Coordinates of all heavy atoms in Angstrom, one line a residue:
L141 N -72.7 67.3 152.3 CA -73.2 66.4 153.3 C -74.2 67.1 154.2 O -73.9 68.2 154.7 CB -72.0 65.9 154.2 CG -72.3 65.0 155.4 CD1 -72.8 63.6 154.9 CD2 -71.0 64.8 156.2
P142 N -75.4 66.6 154.2 CA -76.5 67.3 155.0 C -76.1 67.2 156.5 O -75.4 66.3 156.9 CB -77.7 66.4 154.7 CG -77.3 65.3 153.9 CD -75.9 65.4 153.6
R143 N -76.6 68.2 157.2 CA -76.3 68.2 158.7 C -77.3 67.3 159.3 O -78.5 67.7 159.6 CB -76.4 69.6 159.2 CG -75.3 70.5 158.6 CD -75.0 71.7 159.3 NE -74.8 71.6 160.7 CZ -73.6 71.2 161.3 NH1 -72.6 70.8 160.6 NH2 -73.5 71.2 162.6
L144 N -76.9 66.1 159.7 CA -77.7 65.1 160.3 C -77.1 64.8 161.7 O -75.9 65.0 161.9 CB -77.9 63.9 159.5 CG -78.4 64.1 158.1 CD1 -78.3 62.8 157.2 CD2 -79.9 64.6 158.2
N145 N -77.9 64.1 162.5 CA -77.4 63.8 163.9 C -76.2 62.9 163.9 O -75.4 62.9 164.8 CB -78.5 63.2 164.7 CG -79.6 64.2 165.0 OD1 -79.4 65.4 165.1 ND2 -80.8 63.7 165.2
Y146 N -76.1 62.0 162.9 CA -75.0 61.1 162.9 C -73.7 61.7 162.3 O -72.6 61.1 162.3 CB -75.3 59.8 162.1 CG -75.5 60.0 160.6 CD1 -74.4 60.1 159.8 CD2 -76.8 60.1 160.1 CE1 -74.5 60.2 158.4 CE2 -76.9 60.2 158.7 CZ -75.8 60.3 157.9 OH -76.0 60.5 156.5
Q147 N -73.7 62.9 161.8 CA -72.6 63.5 161.1 C -71.3 63.5 161.9 O -70.3 63.0 161.4 CB -72.9 64.9 160.6 CG -71.8 65.5 159.8 CD -72.1 66.9 159.3 OE1 -73.0 67.6 159.9 NE2 -71.5 67.3 158.2
P148 N -71.3 63.9 163.1 CA -70.0 63.9 163.9 C -69.4 62.5 164.0 O -68.2 62.3 163.8 CB -70.3 64.5 165.2 CG -71.6 65.3 165.0 CD -72.3 64.6 163.9
R149 N -70.3 61.5 164.3 CA -69.8 60.1 164.4 C -69.3 59.6 163.1 O -68.3 59.0 163.0 CB -70.9 59.2 164.9 CG -70.4 57.8 165.1 CD -71.5 57.0 165.8 NE -71.7 57.4 167.1 CZ -72.3 56.7 168.0 NH1 -72.8 55.5 167.7 NH2 -72.5 57.2 169.2
A150 N -70.0 59.9 162.0 CA -69.6 59.4 160.7 C -68.3 60.0 160.3 O -67.4 59.3 159.7 CB -70.7 59.8 159.6
L151 N -68.1 61.3 160.5 CA -66.8 61.9 160.2 C -65.7 61.4 161.0 O -64.6 61.2 160.5 CB -66.9 63.4 160.4 CG -67.9 64.2 159.4 CD1 -68.1 65.6 159.8 CD2 -67.4 64.0 158.0
R152 N -65.9 61.1 162.3 CA -64.9 60.5 163.1 C -64.5 59.1 162.7 O -63.3 58.8 162.5 CB -65.3 60.5 164.6 CG -64.3 60.0 165.6 CD -64.7 60.0 167.0 NE -65.8 59.1 167.2 CZ -67.1 59.5 167.6 NH1 -67.3 60.8 167.7 NH2 -68.0 58.6 167.8
V153 N -65.5 58.3 162.4 CA -65.2 56.9 161.9 C -64.5 56.9 160.6 O -63.6 56.2 160.3 CB -66.5 56.1 162.0 CG1 -66.2 54.7 161.3 CG2 -66.9 55.9 163.4
S154 N -65.0 57.8 159.7 CA -64.4 57.9 158.3 C -62.9 58.2 158.4 O -62.1 57.7 157.7 CB -65.1 58.9 157.4 OG -64.9 60.2 157.8
G155 N -62.5 59.1 159.4 CA -61.1 59.5 159.6 C -60.3 58.3 160.1 O -59.2 58.1 159.7
Q156 N -60.9 57.5 161.0 CA -60.3 56.3 161.5 C -60.0 55.3 160.4 O -59.0 54.7 160.3 CB -61.1 55.7 162.6 CG -61.2 56.5 163.9 CD -62.1 56.0 164.9 OE1 -63.0 55.1 164.6 NE2 -62.1 56.5 166.1
L157 N -61.0 55.1 159.5 CA -60.9 54.2 158.4 C -59.8 54.7 157.4 O -59.0 53.9 156.9 CB -62.2 54.0 157.7 CG -63.3 53.3 158.4 CD1 -64.7 53.5 157.7 CD2 -63.0 51.9 158.7
K158 N -59.8 56.0 157.1 CA -58.7 56.5 156.3 C -57.4 56.3 156.8 O -56.4 55.9 156.2 CB -59.0 58.0 156.0 CG -60.1 58.3 155.1 CD -60.3 59.8 154.9 CE -61.6 60.1 154.2 NZ -61.8 61.5 154.0
D159 N -57.2 56.5 158.2 CA -55.9 56.4 158.8 C -55.5 54.9 158.8 O -54.3 54.6 158.6 CB -56.0 56.9 160.3 CG -56.1 58.4 160.4 OD1 -55.9 59.1 159.3 OD2 -56.4 58.9 161.5
K160 N -56.4 54.0 159.1 CA -56.0 52.6 159.3 C -55.8 51.9 158.0 O -54.9 51.1 157.8 CB -57.1 51.8 160.1 CG -56.7 50.4 160.4 CD -57.6 49.7 161.4 CE -57.1 48.3 161.6 NZ -57.9 47.6 162.6
Y161 N -56.7 52.2 157.0 CA -56.7 51.4 155.7 C -56.3 52.2 154.5 O -56.1 51.7 153.4 CB -58.1 50.8 155.5 CG -58.6 49.9 156.5 CD1 -59.5 50.3 157.4 CD2 -58.0 48.6 156.6 CE1 -59.9 49.4 158.4 CE2 -58.5 47.7 157.6 CZ -59.4 48.1 158.5 OH -59.8 47.2 159.4
G162 N -56.2 53.5 154.7 CA -55.8 54.4 153.6 C -56.8 54.4 152.4 O -56.5 54.6 151.3
V163 N -58.1 54.3 152.8 CA -59.2 54.2 151.8 C -60.0 55.5 151.9 O -59.9 56.3 152.8 CB -60.2 53.1 152.1 CG1 -59.5 51.7 152.0 CG2 -60.8 53.2 153.5
E164 N -60.6 55.8 150.8 CA -61.5 56.9 150.7 C -62.9 56.5 151.2 O -63.4 55.4 150.9 CB -61.7 57.4 149.3 CG -60.4 58.1 148.8 CD -60.1 59.3 149.6 OE1 -61.0 60.1 150.0 OE2 -58.9 59.5 150.0
V165 N -63.5 57.3 152.0 CA -64.8 57.0 152.6 C -65.8 58.0 152.1 O -65.6 59.2 152.0 CB -64.8 57.1 154.1 CG1 -66.1 56.8 154.7 CG2 -63.7 56.1 154.7
E166 N -67.0 57.5 151.6 CA -68.0 58.3 151.1 C -69.2 58.3 152.1 O -69.6 57.3 152.6 CB -68.6 57.8 149.8 CG -69.6 58.6 149.2 CD -70.1 58.1 147.9 OE1 -69.7 57.0 147.5 OE2 -70.9 58.8 147.2
I167 N -69.6 59.5 152.5 CA -70.7 59.7 153.5 C -71.8 60.3 152.7 O -71.7 61.4 152.1 CB -70.3 60.6 154.7 CG1 -69.1 60.0 155.4 CG2 -71.5 60.8 155.6 CD1 -68.5 60.9 156.4
K168 N -72.9 59.6 152.7 CA -74.1 60.1 152.0 C -75.3 60.2 152.9 O -75.5 59.4 153.8 CB -74.5 59.1 150.9 CG -73.4 58.9 149.9 CD -73.9 58.1 148.7 CE -74.1 56.6 149.1 NZ -74.3 55.8 147.9
G169 N -76.1 61.2 152.8 CA -77.3 61.3 153.5 C -78.3 60.2 153.0 O -78.2 59.9 151.8
G170 N -79.0 59.7 153.9 CA -79.9 58.6 153.5 C -81.3 58.8 154.0 O -81.7 59.9 154.4
R171 N -82.0 57.7 154.2 CA -83.3 57.7 154.8 C -83.2 58.3 156.2 O -82.2 58.1 156.9 CB -83.9 56.3 154.9 CG -84.1 55.6 153.5 CD -84.7 54.3 153.7 NE -84.1 53.4 154.7 CZ -83.1 52.6 154.5 NH1 -82.5 52.5 153.3 NH2 -82.6 51.9 155.5
T172 N -84.3 58.9 156.7 CA -84.3 59.4 158.0 C -84.2 58.3 159.0 O -84.9 57.3 158.9 CB -85.6 60.2 158.3 OG1 -85.7 61.2 157.3 CG2 -85.7 60.7 159.7
G173 N -83.2 58.4 159.9 CA -83.0 57.4 160.9 C -82.1 56.2 160.5 O -81.8 55.3 161.3
S174 N -81.6 56.3 159.3 CA -80.8 55.2 158.8 C -79.3 55.5 159.0 O -78.9 56.7 159.0 CB -81.0 54.8 157.3 OG -80.6 55.9 156.5
F175 N -78.5 54.5 159.3 CA -77.1 54.6 159.3 C -76.6 53.3 158.9 O -76.7 52.3 159.6 CB -76.6 54.9 160.8 CG -75.2 55.2 160.9 CD1 -74.6 56.4 160.8 CD2 -74.3 54.1 161.2 CE1 -73.3 56.7 160.9 CE2 -72.9 54.3 161.3 CZ -72.4 55.6 161.2
E176 N -76.0 53.2 157.7 CA -75.5 51.9 157.2 C -74.1 52.0 156.8 O -73.6 53.1 156.3 CB -76.4 51.5 156.0 CG -77.8 51.3 156.3 CD -78.7 51.0 155.1 OE1 -78.3 51.4 154.0 OE2 -79.8 50.5 155.3
I177 N -73.4 50.9 156.9 CA -72.0 50.8 156.5 C -72.0 49.7 155.5 O -72.4 48.6 155.7 CB -71.1 50.5 157.7 CG1 -71.2 51.6 158.8 CG2 -69.7 50.3 157.2 CD1 -70.5 51.2 160.1
T178 N -71.4 50.1 154.3 CA -71.3 49.1 153.2 C -69.9 49.1 152.8 O -69.1 50.1 152.9 CB -72.2 49.5 152.0 OG1 -71.9 50.7 151.6 CG2 -73.7 49.4 152.4
Q179 N -69.5 48.0 152.2 CA -68.2 47.8 151.5 C -68.5 47.3 150.1 O -69.0 46.2 150.0 CB -67.3 46.9 152.3 CG -65.9 46.8 151.7 CD -65.0 45.9 152.5 OE1 -65.5 44.9 153.1 NE2 -63.7 46.2 152.5
G180 N -68.4 48.2 149.1 CA -68.9 47.8 147.8 C -70.4 47.7 147.9 O -71.1 48.6 148.3
D181 N -70.9 46.6 147.4 CA -72.3 46.3 147.5 C -72.8 45.6 148.7 O -73.9 45.3 148.9 CB -72.8 45.6 146.2 CG -72.7 46.4 145.0 OD1 -72.7 47.6 145.1 OD2 -72.5 45.8 143.9
K182 N -71.8 45.2 149.6 CA -72.1 44.4 150.8 C -72.5 45.3 152.0 O -71.7 46.1 152.4 CB -70.9 43.5 151.1 CG -71.1 42.6 152.2 CD -69.9 41.7 152.5 CE -70.0 40.9 153.7 NZ -68.8 40.1 154.0
L183 N -73.6 45.0 152.6 CA -74.1 45.7 153.8 C -73.4 45.1 155.0 O -73.5 43.9 155.2 CB -75.6 45.6 153.9 CG -76.2 46.3 155.1 CD1 -76.0 47.8 155.1 CD2 -77.7 46.0 155.2
L184 N -72.6 45.9 155.7 CA -71.9 45.4 156.8 C -72.6 45.7 158.2 O -72.4 45.0 159.1 CB -70.5 46.0 156.9 CG -69.6 45.7 155.7 CD1 -68.3 46.5 155.8 CD2 -69.3 44.2 155.5
F185 N -73.3 46.8 158.2 CA -74.0 47.2 159.4 C -75.2 48.1 159.1 O -75.1 48.9 158.2 CB -73.1 48.0 160.4 CG -73.7 48.3 161.7 CD1 -73.6 47.4 162.8 CD2 -74.5 49.4 161.9 CE1 -74.2 47.7 164.0 CE2 -75.1 49.6 163.1 CZ -75.0 48.8 164.2
S186 N -76.3 47.8 159.7 CA -77.5 48.6 159.5 C -78.1 49.0 160.9 O -78.4 48.1 161.7 CB -78.5 47.8 158.7 OG -79.8 48.5 158.8
K187 N -78.1 50.3 161.1 CA -78.7 50.8 162.4 C -80.2 50.3 162.5 O -80.7 50.0 163.5 CB -78.6 52.3 162.5 CG -79.3 52.9 163.8 CD -79.1 54.4 163.7 CE -80.2 55.1 164.5 NZ -81.5 55.1 163.8
N188 N -80.9 50.3 161.4 CA -82.3 49.9 161.4 C -82.4 48.5 161.8 O -83.4 48.1 162.5 CB -82.9 50.2 160.0 CG -83.1 51.7 159.7 OD1 -83.1 52.5 160.6 ND2 -83.2 52.0 158.5
A189 N -81.5 47.6 161.3 CA -81.6 46.2 161.7 C -81.2 45.9 163.1 O -81.7 45.1 163.8 CB -80.8 45.4 160.7
Q190 N -80.1 46.6 163.6 CA -79.5 46.4 164.9 C -80.2 47.3 166.0 O -80.0 47.1 167.2 CB -78.0 46.7 164.9 CG -77.2 45.8 163.9 CD -77.2 44.4 164.4 OE1 -77.1 44.2 165.6 NE2 -77.2 43.5 163.5
H191 N -81.0 48.3 165.6 CA -81.6 49.2 166.5 C -80.6 50.0 167.4 O -80.9 50.3 168.5 CB -82.7 48.5 167.4 CG -83.7 47.7 166.6 ND1 -84.6 48.4 165.8 CD2 -83.8 46.4 166.3 CE1 -85.4 47.5 165.2 NE2 -84.9 46.3 165.5
R192 N -79.5 50.3 166.8 CA -78.4 51.0 167.5 C -77.4 51.5 166.6 O -77.3 51.0 165.5 CB -77.8 50.2 168.6 CG -77.1 49.0 168.1 CD -76.4 48.2 169.2 NE -75.7 47.0 168.7 CZ -74.5 47.0 168.1 NH1 -73.8 48.2 168.1 NH2 -73.9 45.9 167.7
F193 N -76.6 52.5 167.0 CA -75.4 52.9 166.2 C -74.2 51.9 166.5 O -74.2 51.4 167.7 CB -74.9 54.3 166.6 CG -75.7 55.3 165.9 CD1 -76.8 55.9 166.4 CD2 -75.3 55.8 164.6 CE1 -77.6 56.9 165.8 CE2 -76.0 56.8 164.0 CZ -77.1 57.3 164.5
P194 N -73.3 51.7 165.6 CA -72.2 50.8 165.9 C -71.2 51.6 166.8 O -71.1 52.9 166.7 CB -71.6 50.5 164.5 CG -72.0 51.7 163.7 CD -73.3 52.1 164.2
E195 N -70.4 50.9 167.6 CA -69.3 51.6 168.3 C -68.2 51.7 167.3 O -68.1 51.0 166.4 CB -68.9 50.7 169.5 CG -70.0 50.4 170.5 CD -70.4 51.7 171.2 OE1 -69.6 52.6 171.4 OE2 -71.6 51.8 171.6
D196 N -67.3 52.7 167.6 CA -66.2 53.0 166.7 C -65.4 51.7 166.4 O -65.0 51.4 165.3 CB -65.3 54.1 167.2 CG -66.0 55.5 167.2 OD1 -67.2 55.6 166.8 OD2 -65.4 56.4 167.6
H197 N -65.0 51.0 167.5 CA -64.2 49.8 167.4 C -64.9 48.8 166.5 O -64.3 48.0 165.8 CB -63.8 49.3 168.7 CG -64.9 48.6 169.5 ND1 -65.8 49.3 170.2 CD2 -65.2 47.3 169.6 CE1 -66.7 48.5 170.7 NE2 -66.4 47.3 170.4
E198 N -66.2 48.7 166.6 CA -67.0 47.8 165.9 C -66.9 48.0 164.3 O -66.8 47.1 163.6 CB -68.5 47.9 166.3 CG -69.3 46.7 166.3 CD -70.7 47.0 166.8 OE1 -71.0 48.1 167.4 OE2 -71.5 46.1 166.7
V199 N -66.9 49.3 164.0 CA -66.8 49.6 162.5 C -65.4 49.1 162.0 O -65.4 48.5 160.9 CB -66.9 51.2 162.3 CG1 -66.6 51.5 160.9 CG2 -68.3 51.6 162.8
L200 N -64.4 49.4 162.7 CA -63.0 48.9 162.3 C -63.0 47.4 162.2 O -62.4 46.8 161.3 CB -61.9 49.4 163.2 CG -61.8 51.0 163.2 CD1 -60.8 51.4 164.3 CD2 -61.5 51.5 161.8
S201 N -63.6 46.7 163.2 CA -63.6 45.2 163.2 C -64.4 44.6 162.0 O -64.1 43.5 161.6 CB -64.0 44.7 164.5 OG -65.4 44.9 164.7
L202 N -65.4 45.3 161.6 CA -66.2 44.9 160.4 C -65.4 44.7 159.2 O -65.6 43.9 158.3 CB -67.3 45.8 160.1 CG -68.5 45.9 161.1 CD1 -69.4 47.1 160.8 CD2 -69.3 44.6 161.1
L203 N -64.3 45.5 159.1 CA -63.5 45.5 157.9 C -62.2 44.6 158.0 O -61.6 44.3 157.0 CB -63.1 46.9 157.5 CG -64.3 47.8 157.2 CD1 -63.8 49.3 157.0 CD2 -65.0 47.4 155.9
D204 N -61.9 44.3 159.2 CA -60.7 43.4 159.5 C -61.1 42.0 159.1 O -62.1 41.5 159.5 CB -60.3 43.5 160.9 CG -59.5 44.7 161.2 OD1 -58.9 45.3 160.3 OD2 -59.5 45.2 162.4
P205 N -60.1 41.3 158.5 CA -60.4 39.9 158.2 C -60.4 39.1 159.5 O -59.8 39.4 160.5 CB -59.2 39.4 157.4 CG -58.2 40.5 157.3 CD -58.9 41.7 157.9
A206 N -61.3 38.0 159.5 CA -61.4 37.2 160.8 C -60.2 36.4 161.1 O -59.4 36.1 160.2 CB -62.7 36.3 160.6

């Protein structure tokens, strides 16, 4: 994992996802300034589209059924 500015947040959220859902989380370096959350092929959150990072609780709610 490259050392990028989002690394601490990505690692924290990945731990929360592992704890809550028991899933494996893959963190990949991407385009400069990008931060995206996907589930399979589905894009759930894009920092470039929203112009902000997601809050931790927001990441968990993206994966919870409505």
Side-chain angles (χ1 to χ4, degrees):
L141 180 65
R143 295 201 49 82
L144 302 171
N145 291 334
Y146 69 79
Q147 186 180 20
R149 183 176 291 198
L151 292 172
R152 183 176 65 248
V153 171
S154 70
Q156 292 170 345
L157 292 170
K158 286 178 187 178
D159 290 345
K160 183 169 183 176
Y161 298 104
V163 297
E164 289 301 314
V165 176
E166 182 179 5
I167 300 172
K168 301 187 286 188
R171 300 181 312 269
T172 301
S174 68
F175 184 91
E176 297 176 338
I177 299 170
T178 59
Q179 184 177 30
D181 293 332
K182 183 179 176 185
L183 179 63
L184 301 176
F185 186 92
S186 170
K187 179 181 150 288
N188 291 341
Q190 299 290 326
H191 305 290
R192 63 179 179 82
F193 278 93
E195 298 296 326
D196 291 0
H197 71 280
E198 211 175 353
V199 174
L200 297 175
S201 70
L202 289 169
L203 299 172
D204 282 334

